[in-house]
Amino acid sequence: LGRDHPQAAYGRARLGSFFMNHLDDLERAEPLLVEGIATTERTLGSSHPAAVTMTNSLAVLYTRRGDYGKALPVLQKGLASAEQSLDERDPLFIQFVNNIGDLHRRLDEFDKAEPYFTRALTLLEQAYGPDHLRVATPLVNLSVLARERREYARAFELLNRAFTIRTKALGESSRPSAETLVLMANVH
């Protein structure tokens, strides 16, 4: 197939994701992801779903490494590409939206984070319904912002809704339900 074939690029990116997700070897993962993205963008375009997926993986790598200065432009580029090639209700599209919000939250930029978390919540509710398990994550993210702003009643309300969703889907003794309950206890 050759080094510049899209399938070879996809294989390199998959190997990079394996190093990142299963071996926690970010140093070996990064060049594989970067090369996979470059080749895919060159051969298929930056808006191709494979390039978008690889871009998300690279942004996750930078975020996990704490390199937020690199992660944010990659996330923004990925979201712009996703807007061209994916439906807004596609899980990968929503993941970009949520990940940008999470990055702003990590940088204590709560006013920048909130619109992304709100958008992720709206999109997930539209795609899956208001009581779907996936809806709980942006609810928890929004509650963290509310708590940081000392909006304790709002934080508790959001967490209560997330807890209800998680216990209905996973049971009260599940880890996500328990983690949500701990967050609720720590609101004040």
Side-chain angles (χ1 to χ4, degrees), residues 46-59:
S46 63
S47 296
H48 190 277
V52 173
T53 300
M54 292 175 205
T55 301
N56 185 60
S57 295
L58 184 61

Side-chain angles (χ1 to χ4, degrees), residues 18-29:
F18 176 80
F19 282 131
M20 177 176 66
N21 295 322
H22 299 288
L23 301 177
D24 201 33
D25 190 342
L26 305 182
E27 297 310 310
R28 287 176 69 186

Side-chain angles (χ1 to χ4, degrees), residues 87-175:
D87 183 273
E88 275 194 331
R89 287 168 278 156
D90 184 285
L92 182 58
F93 183 92
I94 298 169
Q95 190 175 10
F96 271 108
V97 172
N98 186 73
N99 287 352
I100 292 173
D102 184 59
L103 191 58
H104 285 300
R105 181 195 56 80
R106 290 170 186 257
L107 294 167
D108 293 332
E109 299 172 345
F110 304 128
D111 290 338
K112 290 181 180 179
E114 186 170 20
Y116 288 100
F117 288 150
T118 301
R119 184 176 181 195
L121 175 62
T122 301
L123 293 172
L124 286 167
E125 288 175 330
Q126 290 172 354
Y128 300 104
D131 299 322
H132 191 275
L133 182 58
R134 289 180 184 229
V135 170
T137 298
L139 289 170
V140 170
N141 290 338
L142 286 166
S143 78
V144 170
L145 298 182
R147 188 181 72 214
E148 291 295 326
R149 292 176 171 153
R150 301 181 188 274
E151 298 169 358
Y152 301 121
R154 183 168 190 273
F156 189 83
E157 177 186 322
L158 292 162
L159 285 169
N160 190 47
R161 183 173 167 210
F163 180 73
T164 300
I165 291 169
R166 286 177 169 172
T167 55
K168 183 179 175 186
L170 304 171
E172 283 188 18
S173 61
S174 71
R175 183 181 182 125

Side-chain angles (χ1 to χ4, degrees), residues 30 34 58-68 70-71 74:
E30 182 181 8
V34 168
L58 184 61
V60 167
L61 181 146
Y62 290 146
T63 301
R64 282 179 55 186
R65 197 165 64 196
D67 196 346
Y68 304 143
K70 283 187 175 179
V74 171

